[in-house]
Amino acid sequence: MVNEKILVIDFGGQYNQLVARRVRECNVYCEIYSYKTPLDKIKAMNPKGIILTGGPDSVYREGAATCAPEFFDIGVPILGLCYGAQLMHQVLGGKVESAPVREYGKTKTYIDGAKDTLFKEVEDETVVWMSHFDYISKMAPGFEAIAHTDDCPVAACQNVERSLYGIQFHPEVLHTAKGKEILYNFVRGICNCSGSWRMDSFVEESIKAIREKVGDGKVLLALSGGVDSSVAAGLLSRAIGKQLTCVFVDHGLLRKDEGDEVEHVFGEGGQFDLNFIRVNAQERYYSKLAGVTEPERKRKIIGEEFIRVFEEEAKKIGAVDFLAQGTIYPDVVESGLGGESAVIKSHHNVGGLPDFVDFKEIIEPLRDLFKDEVRKAGLELGIPEYLVFRQPFPGPGLGIRIIGEVTDEKVKIVQDADWIYRSEVETAAKEYKDANGVDPAWMPNQYFAALTNMRSVGVMGDERTYDYAVALRAVKTIDFMTAESAEIPFEILQRVMSRIINEVKGVNRVLYDLTSKPPGTIEME
């Protein structure tokens, strides 16, 4: 399905998925593989070019991640980033040592060459993001330095004859002023990629591939209403129509009106041709969660109960040919099935398959996409923007945004408070953008209301109250690995506070969470 690709060889660096995303922003398909991947397998994939990532180790230490010299004779352009650049020289006869001056953060860099290739349209002086304690003290034979800093003589280098390039800094992060241009120059210029990887062609080709794979078979999908499963459902529906059955388990812990929104899009009379089954299991979940206060225990109950409900519906449907899942590329990599970076989570989509569904094979139509690409695919499929751009939402839903025991009363409180909060922020952001043409700088990447387990005395009218405190969370983040509290204008927060206290029964106090991540998490369980 993909005619040309770039391979990212993972040496354990923290920005490796970001490298792949930047390549795809050049409209070139890209995949991540561990440095342990056999050379024959890499050759068989016939890449147009290879990028070696950063890593946490020193290339000269015993046991450090490495590769054979033959790797650099594959015959395609290779770009080494940070650790990858140092490894290239260490393996090919150069020398890497501990740097006399370590460089971290934004660093002024001087471009000395490659103005027609790697540094095309990059100023002679530019700012890059450095993060290294080693440096290339002696280049391998055939290389020339093409950039330097005040403390790093080889900030970039090249061996044009062998089409090998090395960069000591990180072009993939936004702090590098011309990072996108540098990667574009490598991928589209040096590797001669055409840039034909686009969402419209992906959707069209995926539909053809699904039809060929499924034939006249039946497919079962657990539809959560989240972005990934919704786009998977839309893609499968466009390919095979009523051969697809989606089971939507409404556990009563979704945001306000979300269950109805999902049914409106995918249910009878909606815009997709498929079999839609909605299971309203709210009371069942509330019963199981009664008296439970520990967050992890709530997570397990909600997850286990989903399995039970889905199992019951699957038995009614009977045997199917395929079980579909909304697995996306970060799930694959983070589960240790792609790159070499530390395993972050054991994702349910790529872990063990449910043994209660009678199926022959699994199908994951979004397996090669990042989240932003999934959203683009969703728009191509005609899925409404309010669903495509829905904020990240935890699997256990409001179960972990309610501190303490979950009850139907508490669920209604947090749903209503959260809806008011999100509505006011969205309205204010839209008004700002309409007036200024850009999103406001304070606009958070994720924001929601949570219900604390704290009750306090208040006065409403002439009466004393003893009601709950709602906490508002809003964060600015790029990768959701770290986050800072968003500085939402005080007048907006005041408006949110006033509406929540006046309109949501059972609340007499509103708090704003200023905690960053770390030490906190984005959720407030």
Side-chain angles (χ1 to χ4, degrees):
M1 193 166 71
V2 179
N3 294 324
E4 57 183 21
K5 70 173 70 172
I6 297 291
L7 299 187
V8 172
I9 305 302
D10 186 353
F11 289 93
Q14 60 179 321
Y15 300 128
N16 299 339
Q17 287 194 35
L18 191 54
V19 175
R21 290 184 63 170
R22 292 288 179 258
V23 171
R24 292 190 184 189
E25 287 171 4
C26 299
N27 299 120
V28 176
Y29 182 68
C30 182
E31 289 182 350
I32 302 173
Y33 288 90
S34 165
Y35 73 92
K36 299 175 184 175
T37 305
L39 189 57
D40 288 345
K41 181 177 179 180
I42 291 174
K43 289 180 178 178
M45 286 186 272
N46 194 30
K48 294 279 286 186
I50 295 172
I51 298 177
L52 312 181
T53 74
D57 208 346
S58 292
V59 296
Y60 49 78
R61 289 182 183 168
E62 186 177 350
T66 189
C67 62
E70 292 77 19
F71 185 92
F72 298 100
D73 293 320
I74 291 177
V76 300
I78 298 177
L79 172 64
L81 307 180
C82 200
Y83 183 97
Q86 295 171 1
L87 180 66
M88 184 182 294
H89 287 273
Q90 182 79 3
V91 170
L92 294 178
K95 190 173 184 180
V96 177
E97 299 179 278
S98 179
V101 178
R102 301 180 179 188
E103 291 181 314
Y104 294 99
K106 292 182 179 180
T107 306
K108 184 180 288 188
T109 300
Y110 307 95
I111 307 303
D112 304 314
K115 299 291 287 187
D116 58 341
T117 53
L118 199 60
F119 292 131
K120 185 178 180 181
E121 297 187 8
V122 178
E123 295 84 356
D124 290 342
E125 292 185 13
T126 188
V127 174
V128 305
W129 185 260
M130 288 285 191
S131 180
H132 68 101
F133 49 81
D134 291 332
Y135 81 126
I136 300 166
S137 59
K138 177 186 175 184
M139 288 184 289
F143 281 83
E144 62 173 333
I146 54 175
H148 73 278
T149 71
D150 290 339
D151 298 306
C152 181
V154 186
C157 57
Q158 66 180 12
N159 182 327
V160 176
E161 185 178 346
R162 299 181 66 179
S163 202
L164 302 178
Y165 301 83
I167 296 176
Q168 183 60 71
F169 53 88
H170 289 277
E172 68 273 21
V173 301
L174 297 178
H175 304 297
T176 295
K178 293 291 185 177
K180 291 182 179 179
E181 288 83 352
I182 293 169
L183 287 174
Y184 184 95
N185 289 337
F186 177 73
V187 171
R188 298 287 295 273
I190 295 171
C191 297
N192 292 315
C193 291
S194 64
S196 59
W197 167 254
R198 290 182 172 83
M199 272 308 108
D200 54 354
S201 59
F202 168 82
V203 169
E204 184 179 327
E205 291 170 359
S206 293
I207 288 172
K208 292 179 183 176
I210 291 168
R211 285 174 179 162
E212 290 178 8
K213 185 178 184 71
V214 173
D216 59 358
K218 295 181 179 180
V219 180
L220 176 63
L221 170 69
L223 178 62
S224 70
V227 178
D228 301 338
S229 68
S230 295
V231 175
L235 192 58
L236 287 161
S237 171
R238 292 281 190 251
I240 58 173
K242 283 285 199 293
Q243 293 169 245
L244 170 67
T245 298
C246 291
V247 175
F248 171 51
V249 179
D250 186 347
H251 49 34
L253 301 169
L254 299 172
R255 288 166 288 203
K256 187 173 182 176
D257 300 330
E258 281 194 346
D260 293 339
E261 290 173 354
V262 172
E263 184 169 5
H264 176 73
V265 174
F266 294 102
E268 187 175 351
Q271 62 192 83
F272 290 97
D273 182 32
L274 52 83
N275 299 306
F276 179 82
I277 299 171
R278 177 175 179 174
V279 183
N280 293 311
Q282 294 92 331
E283 296 306 318
R284 178 169 173 172
Y285 275 86
Y286 296 162
S287 175
K288 291 283 185 180
L289 292 167
V292 179
T293 60
E294 202 273 318
E296 193 57 32
R297 180 64 187 139
K298 286 193 286 186
R299 285 178 179 274
K300 289 181 179 178
I301 289 172
I302 294 167
E304 290 169 0
E305 198 60 21
F306 170 81
I307 292 175
R308 300 285 80 79
V309 175
F310 190 65
E311 177 182 17
E312 292 167 11
E313 295 303 318
K315 286 180 178 177
K316 295 177 187 176
I317 295 167
V320 295
D321 299 285
F322 298 90
L323 176 68
Q325 296 185 147
T327 310
I328 65 175
Y329 198 55
D331 299 331
V332 177
V333 175
E334 291 177 1
S335 299
L337 302 181
E340 185 61 27
S341 299
V343 176
I344 299 169
K345 62 184 176 182
S346 179
H347 196 279
H348 69 277
N349 279 345
V350 293
L353 301 178
D355 56 8
F356 54 80
V357 179
D358 185 5
F359 69 98
K360 300 175 183 177
E361 194 175 346
I362 192 165
I363 186 168
E364 297 169 316
L366 308 178
R367 185 182 176 90
D368 295 330
L369 301 186
F370 286 97
K371 178 73 78 174
D372 57 327
E373 295 170 329
V374 173
R375 296 188 196 279
K376 290 177 183 177
L379 295 176
E380 286 289 334
L381 290 164
I383 298 174
E385 286 192 16
Y386 67 79
L387 200 159
V388 170
F389 292 103
R390 184 167 284 168
Q391 293 182 46
F393 194 57
L398 299 180
I400 58 171
R401 291 183 183 174
I402 295 172
I403 311 303
E405 182 183 12
V406 175
T407 66
D408 55 354
E409 175 197 10
K410 287 184 175 181
V411 170
K412 187 173 190 322
I413 288 174
V414 76
Q415 282 179 334
D416 290 344
D418 180 72
W419 183 83
I420 289 171
Y421 180 34
R422 288 186 291 116
S423 297
E424 288 292 341
V425 170
E426 289 164 10
T427 298
K430 184 178 184 302
E431 290 175 351
Y432 183 95
K433 187 170 185 177
D434 288 345
N436 299 279
V438 294
D439 291 321
W442 54 260
M443 185 64 185
N445 300 98
Q446 187 170 355
Y447 48 102
F448 56 87
L451 184 62
T452 74
N453 204 28
M454 181 183 75
R455 303 181 78 174
S456 61
V457 173
V459 178
M460 299 182 74
D462 294 326
E463 298 181 357
R464 287 166 62 87
T465 61
Y466 186 63
D467 288 330
Y468 288 105
V470 163
L472 306 179
R473 181 79 161 136
V475 298
K476 296 278 289 181
T477 179
I478 295 176
D479 54 12
F480 287 85
M481 300 300 293
T482 61
E484 293 181 346
S485 176
E487 297 183 28
I488 295 177
F490 190 69
E491 62 269 21
I492 299 174
L493 295 176
Q494 284 285 89
R495 193 157 59 243
V496 172
M497 174 275 297
S498 180
R499 284 195 60 191
I500 289 176
I501 289 177
N502 285 313
E503 298 176 31
V504 182
K505 185 179 178 180
V507 178
N508 68 358
R509 195 174 297 269
V510 176
L511 313 173
Y512 190 65
D513 185 356
L514 295 173
T515 315
S516 62
K517 176 189 179 183
T521 60
I522 290 178
E523 296 292 338
M524 295 191 294
E525 56 189 291

Short mmCIF file of all heavy atoms in Angstrom, two decimals, residues 219-226 228-230 232-233 236 244-249 262 276-277 306-307 310-311 317 322-327 348-349 354 356-357:
data_model
loop_
_atom_site.label_atom_id
_atom_site.label_comp_id
_atom_site.label_asym_id
_atom_site.label_seq_id
_atom_site.Cartn_x
_atom_site.Cartn_y
_atom_site.Cartn_z
N VAL A 219 -17.22 -8.75 10.50
CA VAL A 219 -16.27 -8.07 11.38
C VAL A 219 -16.99 -7.53 12.61
O VAL A 219 -18.09 -6.97 12.51
CB VAL A 219 -15.56 -6.90 10.65
CG1 VAL A 219 -14.58 -6.20 11.58
CG2 VAL A 219 -14.86 -7.41 9.39
N LEU A 220 -16.37 -7.69 13.77
CA LEU A 220 -16.93 -7.20 15.03
C LEU A 220 -15.97 -6.17 15.63
O LEU A 220 -14.76 -6.41 15.72
CB LEU A 220 -17.13 -8.35 16.02
CG LEU A 220 -17.62 -7.98 17.43
CD1 LEU A 220 -19.01 -7.34 17.37
CD2 LEU A 220 -17.64 -9.21 18.33
N LEU A 221 -16.51 -5.01 16.04
CA LEU A 221 -15.69 -3.94 16.61
C LEU A 221 -16.33 -3.43 17.90
O LEU A 221 -17.54 -3.15 17.93
CB LEU A 221 -15.57 -2.78 15.61
CG LEU A 221 -14.95 -1.47 16.14
CD1 LEU A 221 -13.46 -1.66 16.43
CD2 LEU A 221 -15.15 -0.33 15.15
N ALA A 222 -15.53 -3.28 18.95
CA ALA A 222 -15.98 -2.63 20.18
C ALA A 222 -15.81 -1.13 19.99
O ALA A 222 -14.68 -0.64 19.91
CB ALA A 222 -15.17 -3.13 21.37
N LEU A 223 -16.91 -0.41 19.90
CA LEU A 223 -16.90 1.02 19.65
C LEU A 223 -17.03 1.77 20.97
O LEU A 223 -18.07 1.69 21.63
CB LEU A 223 -18.05 1.38 18.70
CG LEU A 223 -18.24 2.86 18.35
CD1 LEU A 223 -17.03 3.39 17.62
CD2 LEU A 223 -19.49 3.03 17.49
N SER A 224 -15.97 2.49 21.36
CA SER A 224 -16.01 3.22 22.63
C SER A 224 -16.57 4.62 22.49
O SER A 224 -16.98 5.23 23.47
CB SER A 224 -14.59 3.31 23.21
OG SER A 224 -13.79 4.18 22.42
N GLY A 225 -16.55 5.15 21.27
CA GLY A 225 -16.94 6.53 21.06
C GLY A 225 -15.74 7.46 21.04
O GLY A 225 -15.87 8.65 20.75
N GLY A 226 -14.55 6.93 21.37
CA GLY A 226 -13.33 7.72 21.28
C GLY A 226 -12.91 7.89 19.84
O GLY A 226 -13.48 7.28 18.91
N ASP A 228 -10.16 6.96 18.11
CA ASP A 228 -9.57 5.83 17.38
C ASP A 228 -10.62 4.82 16.94
O ASP A 228 -10.65 4.41 15.78
CB ASP A 228 -8.51 5.15 18.25
CG ASP A 228 -7.39 6.09 18.66
OD1 ASP A 228 -7.20 7.11 17.98
OD2 ASP A 228 -6.73 5.83 19.68
N SER A 229 -11.46 4.39 17.87
CA SER A 229 -12.45 3.37 17.50
C SER A 229 -13.50 3.95 16.55
O SER A 229 -14.01 3.24 15.68
CB SER A 229 -13.12 2.80 18.75
OG SER A 229 -13.93 3.76 19.40
N SER A 230 -13.81 5.24 16.68
CA SER A 230 -14.79 5.85 15.79
C SER A 230 -14.27 5.92 14.36
O SER A 230 -15.00 5.64 13.40
CB SER A 230 -15.14 7.26 16.29
OG SER A 230 -15.79 7.21 17.54
N ALA A 232 -11.91 4.00 13.11
CA ALA A 232 -11.84 2.61 12.64
C ALA A 232 -13.20 2.15 12.16
O ALA A 232 -13.32 1.51 11.11
CB ALA A 232 -11.33 1.71 13.75
N ALA A 233 -14.26 2.48 12.90
CA ALA A 233 -15.61 2.11 12.52
C ALA A 233 -16.00 2.76 11.19
O ALA A 233 -16.58 2.12 10.30
CB ALA A 233 -16.60 2.50 13.61
N LEU A 236 -14.03 1.06 8.27
CA LEU A 236 -14.55 -0.28 7.99
C LEU A 236 -15.93 -0.21 7.35
O LEU A 236 -16.25 -0.98 6.44
CB LEU A 236 -14.61 -1.09 9.29
CG LEU A 236 -13.25 -1.56 9.83
CD1 LEU A 236 -13.36 -1.94 11.30
CD2 LEU A 236 -12.74 -2.75 9.02
N LEU A 244 -20.07 -5.22 8.96
CA LEU A 244 -19.49 -4.74 10.22
C LEU A 244 -20.56 -4.59 11.28
O LEU A 244 -21.61 -3.99 11.03
CB LEU A 244 -18.80 -3.39 10.00
CG LEU A 244 -18.35 -2.63 11.25
CD1 LEU A 244 -17.23 -3.38 11.97
CD2 LEU A 244 -17.91 -1.21 10.90
N THR A 245 -20.29 -5.12 12.47
CA THR A 245 -21.14 -4.91 13.63
C THR A 245 -20.34 -4.20 14.71
O THR A 245 -19.26 -4.65 15.08
CB THR A 245 -21.68 -6.24 14.19
OG1 THR A 245 -22.49 -6.88 13.20
CG2 THR A 245 -22.51 -6.00 15.45
N CYS A 246 -20.86 -3.07 15.20
CA CYS A 246 -20.21 -2.31 16.26
C CYS A 246 -21.02 -2.44 17.54
O CYS A 246 -22.24 -2.21 17.53
CB CYS A 246 -20.10 -0.83 15.88
SG CYS A 246 -18.95 -0.50 14.55
N VAL A 247 -20.35 -2.80 18.61
CA VAL A 247 -21.00 -2.88 19.92
C VAL A 247 -20.50 -1.70 20.76
O VAL A 247 -19.31 -1.59 21.04
CB VAL A 247 -20.67 -4.21 20.63
CG1 VAL A 247 -21.26 -4.22 22.04
CG2 VAL A 247 -21.20 -5.38 19.81
N PHE A 248 -21.43 -0.84 21.13
CA PHE A 248 -21.12 0.35 21.93
C PHE A 248 -21.66 0.13 23.34
O PHE A 248 -22.88 0.10 23.55
CB PHE A 248 -21.74 1.59 21.28
CG PHE A 248 -21.68 2.83 22.14
CD1 PHE A 248 -20.49 3.24 22.71
CD2 PHE A 248 -22.82 3.58 22.36
CE1 PHE A 248 -20.43 4.38 23.49
CE2 PHE A 248 -22.77 4.73 23.13
CZ PHE A 248 -21.58 5.13 23.70
N VAL A 249 -20.74 -0.04 24.29
CA VAL A 249 -21.13 -0.25 25.68
C VAL A 249 -21.13 1.11 26.39
O VAL A 249 -20.07 1.71 26.60
CB VAL A 249 -20.16 -1.21 26.40
CG1 VAL A 249 -20.57 -1.39 27.85
CG2 VAL A 249 -20.13 -2.56 25.67
N VAL A 262 -22.65 9.50 19.91
CA VAL A 262 -22.10 8.33 19.22
C VAL A 262 -23.20 7.61 18.45
O VAL A 262 -23.04 7.24 17.27
CB VAL A 262 -21.43 7.37 20.22
CG1 VAL A 262 -21.02 6.07 19.53
CG2 VAL A 262 -20.21 8.02 20.86
N PHE A 276 -25.31 -1.44 14.37
CA PHE A 276 -24.93 -0.74 15.59
C PHE A 276 -25.74 -1.28 16.77
O PHE A 276 -26.97 -1.31 16.74
CB PHE A 276 -25.18 0.76 15.42
CG PHE A 276 -24.85 1.58 16.65
CD1 PHE A 276 -23.55 1.96 16.92
CD2 PHE A 276 -25.86 1.98 17.52
CE1 PHE A 276 -23.25 2.73 18.04
CE2 PHE A 276 -25.57 2.74 18.64
CZ PHE A 276 -24.26 3.12 18.90
N ILE A 277 -25.02 -1.71 17.79
CA ILE A 277 -25.68 -2.22 19.01
C ILE A 277 -25.22 -1.36 20.19
O ILE A 277 -24.02 -1.27 20.48
CB ILE A 277 -25.30 -3.69 19.28
CG1 ILE A 277 -25.76 -4.57 18.12
CG2 ILE A 277 -25.91 -4.17 20.60
CD1 ILE A 277 -25.25 -6.00 18.21
N PHE A 306 -16.61 -4.30 31.33
CA PHE A 306 -16.72 -4.12 29.89
C PHE A 306 -16.54 -5.46 29.18
O PHE A 306 -17.27 -5.78 28.23
CB PHE A 306 -15.67 -3.12 29.39
CG PHE A 306 -15.57 -3.09 27.89
CD1 PHE A 306 -16.48 -2.37 27.14
CD2 PHE A 306 -14.60 -3.84 27.21
CE1 PHE A 306 -16.41 -2.36 25.75
CE2 PHE A 306 -14.53 -3.84 25.83
CZ PHE A 306 -15.43 -3.09 25.10
N ILE A 307 -15.56 -6.22 29.62
CA ILE A 307 -15.33 -7.53 29.01
C ILE A 307 -16.56 -8.41 29.14
O ILE A 307 -16.96 -9.10 28.19
CB ILE A 307 -14.10 -8.21 29.64
CG1 ILE A 307 -12.82 -7.44 29.27
CG2 ILE A 307 -13.99 -9.67 29.21
CD1 ILE A 307 -11.57 -7.96 29.94
N PHE A 310 -19.34 -7.06 26.78
CA PHE A 310 -18.99 -7.31 25.39
C PHE A 310 -19.08 -8.81 25.08
O PHE A 310 -19.52 -9.21 23.99
CB PHE A 310 -17.58 -6.79 25.12
CG PHE A 310 -17.20 -6.80 23.66
CD1 PHE A 310 -17.87 -5.98 22.76
CD2 PHE A 310 -16.17 -7.60 23.19
CE1 PHE A 310 -17.52 -5.98 21.41
CE2 PHE A 310 -15.82 -7.60 21.86
CZ PHE A 310 -16.50 -6.78 20.96
N GLU A 311 -18.70 -9.63 26.05
CA GLU A 311 -18.78 -11.07 25.88
C GLU A 311 -20.22 -11.51 25.64
O GLU A 311 -20.52 -12.33 24.76
CB GLU A 311 -18.22 -11.77 27.12
CG GLU A 311 -18.31 -13.29 27.09
CD GLU A 311 -17.77 -13.91 28.37
OE1 GLU A 311 -17.63 -13.20 29.37
OE2 GLU A 311 -17.50 -15.12 28.34
N ILE A 317 -24.16 -12.52 18.87
CA ILE A 317 -23.83 -12.34 17.45
C ILE A 317 -23.33 -13.65 16.83
O ILE A 317 -23.62 -13.98 15.69
CB ILE A 317 -22.76 -11.23 17.30
CG1 ILE A 317 -23.34 -9.89 17.74
CG2 ILE A 317 -22.25 -11.14 15.86
CD1 ILE A 317 -22.30 -8.80 17.92
N PHE A 322 -13.51 -11.63 11.68
CA PHE A 322 -12.48 -10.69 12.13
C PHE A 322 -12.94 -9.95 13.37
O PHE A 322 -14.10 -9.56 13.47
CB PHE A 322 -12.16 -9.67 11.03
CG PHE A 322 -11.61 -10.26 9.76
CD1 PHE A 322 -12.47 -10.65 8.75
CD2 PHE A 322 -10.24 -10.42 9.59
CE1 PHE A 322 -11.97 -11.20 7.58
CE2 PHE A 322 -9.74 -10.95 8.41
CZ PHE A 322 -10.60 -11.35 7.41
N LEU A 323 -12.01 -9.74 14.28
CA LEU A 323 -12.22 -8.82 15.40
C LEU A 323 -11.42 -7.56 15.09
O LEU A 323 -10.20 -7.62 14.92
CB LEU A 323 -11.75 -9.44 16.71
CG LEU A 323 -11.85 -8.52 17.94
CD1 LEU A 323 -13.30 -8.25 18.28
CD2 LEU A 323 -11.12 -9.13 19.13
N ALA A 324 -12.09 -6.42 14.97
CA ALA A 324 -11.43 -5.17 14.64
C ALA A 324 -11.08 -4.39 15.90
O ALA A 324 -11.82 -4.44 16.89
CB ALA A 324 -12.31 -4.33 13.72
N GLN A 325 -9.97 -3.66 15.85
CA GLN A 325 -9.54 -2.85 16.98
C GLN A 325 -9.00 -1.51 16.49
O GLN A 325 -8.47 -1.43 15.38
CB GLN A 325 -8.45 -3.57 17.80
CG GLN A 325 -8.95 -4.84 18.45
CD GLN A 325 -7.93 -5.50 19.36
OE1 GLN A 325 -8.27 -6.10 20.35
NE2 GLN A 325 -6.66 -5.40 19.01
N GLY A 326 -9.11 -0.50 17.34
CA GLY A 326 -8.66 0.84 16.97
C GLY A 326 -7.22 1.10 17.32
O GLY A 326 -6.85 2.22 17.68
N THR A 327 -6.37 0.09 17.25
CA THR A 327 -4.95 0.24 17.54
C THR A 327 -4.33 1.29 16.62
O THR A 327 -4.55 1.27 15.41
CB THR A 327 -4.21 -1.10 17.29
OG1 THR A 327 -4.91 -2.14 17.96
CG2 THR A 327 -2.78 -1.03 17.78
N HIS A 348 -4.12 -2.50 25.71
CA HIS A 348 -5.07 -3.59 25.52
C HIS A 348 -5.26 -3.94 24.06
O HIS A 348 -5.58 -5.07 23.71
CB HIS A 348 -6.43 -3.22 26.14
CG HIS A 348 -7.16 -2.14 25.41
ND1 HIS A 348 -6.90 -0.80 25.61
CD2 HIS A 348 -8.13 -2.19 24.47
CE1 HIS A 348 -7.71 -0.07 24.84
NE2 HIS A 348 -8.44 -0.88 24.13
N ASN A 349 -5.02 -3.00 23.15
CA ASN A 349 -5.25 -3.28 21.75
C ASN A 349 -4.21 -4.20 21.15
O ASN A 349 -4.47 -4.87 20.15
CB ASN A 349 -5.26 -1.97 20.95
CG ASN A 349 -6.59 -1.24 21.04
OD1 ASN A 349 -7.58 -1.83 21.46
ND2 ASN A 349 -6.60 0.01 20.68
N PRO A 354 -9.03 -11.08 23.21
CA PRO A 354 -10.08 -11.68 24.03
C PRO A 354 -10.43 -13.08 23.56
O PRO A 354 -10.68 -13.31 22.38
CB PRO A 354 -11.26 -10.72 23.85
CG PRO A 354 -10.96 -9.93 22.62
CD PRO A 354 -9.47 -9.87 22.52
N PHE A 356 -13.06 -14.77 24.41
CA PHE A 356 -14.50 -15.05 24.44
C PHE A 356 -15.18 -14.73 23.12
O PHE A 356 -16.36 -14.92 22.96
CB PHE A 356 -15.18 -14.27 25.57
CG PHE A 356 -14.92 -12.79 25.54
CD1 PHE A 356 -15.63 -11.97 24.67
CD2 PHE A 356 -13.97 -12.22 26.36
CE1 PHE A 356 -15.39 -10.60 24.63
CE2 PHE A 356 -13.74 -10.85 26.33
CZ PHE A 356 -14.45 -10.05 25.46
N VAL A 357 -14.42 -14.18 22.15
CA VAL A 357 -14.98 -13.89 20.84
C VAL A 357 -14.51 -14.95 19.85
O VAL A 357 -13.32 -15.21 19.75
CB VAL A 357 -14.56 -12.48 20.36
CG1 VAL A 357 -15.15 -12.21 18.97
CG2 VAL A 357 -15.01 -11.41 21.33
#
